Amino acid sequence: MTGVPASATGGTGRPTPRGKLGAAAVNQASLWNIANILTMIRLVLVPAFVVLLLQDGGHDPAWRAWAWAAFAVAMITDVFDGHLARTYNLVTDFGRSPTRSPTRRSWRPA
């Protein structure tokens, strides 16, 4: 027992750090939150990356640079959406599934 009321701990028995929302404050995160919007942007960037990479046969350095930029933005949004979702308890099934699938496929033995 920590002496902290269950409502302040999000029902976990541990106090939540200041500025972070506990499970008691948010029953279920909305589909339209910043973490999921970043995930949607990343999902749109995947086909954009492929199209940019394959423009002009995939040999033009300018198109390859744009493809690299799209890939870099996708990587950055991946880092930020995961951090925001965990920090502010915005984890949803929608945000969890696009992140899990590529990871599972890349680690699966051949």
Side-chain angles (χ1 to χ4, degrees), residues 3-4 13-14 16 19 21 24 26 28-29 33 60 67 76-77 93-95 105 107 110:
V4 177
R14 295 182 309 241
T16 56
L21 299 175
V26 179
Q28 184 175 359
N33 61 53
D60 186 6
I76 292 167
T77 61
D93 289 336
F94 173 77
R105 287 188 191 115
W107 287 98

Side-chain angles (χ1 to χ4, degrees), residues 81-104:
D81 80 18
H83 174 71
L84 289 170
R86 286 185 299 273
T87 302
Y88 296 105
N89 197 24
L90 299 173
V91 177
T92 61
D93 289 336
F94 173 77
R96 197 178 298 140
S97 58
T99 303
R100 267 192 303 192
S101 297
T103 305
R104 285 186 179 173

Side-chain angles (χ1 to χ4, degrees), residues 5-20:
S7 61
T9 64
T12 62
R14 295 182 309 241
T16 56
R18 285 189 185 177
K20 296 184 182 178

Side-chain angles (χ1 to χ4, degrees), residues 31-87:
L31 180 63
W32 293 102
N33 61 53
I34 188 66
N36 282 350
I37 291 170
L38 289 173
T39 299
M40 290 179 215
I41 291 170
R42 192 169 64 253
L43 291 174
V44 170
L45 283 172
V46 171
F49 167 76
V50 172
V51 167
L52 290 168
L53 188 63
L54 298 178
Q55 284 294 326
D56 291 337
H59 300 292
D60 186 6
W63 286 113
R64 293 175 71 90
W66 282 109
W68 179 87
F71 187 78
V73 169
M75 287 189 317
I76 292 167
T77 61
D78 185 35
V79 170
F80 282 128
D81 80 18
H83 174 71
L84 289 170
R86 286 185 299 273
T87 302

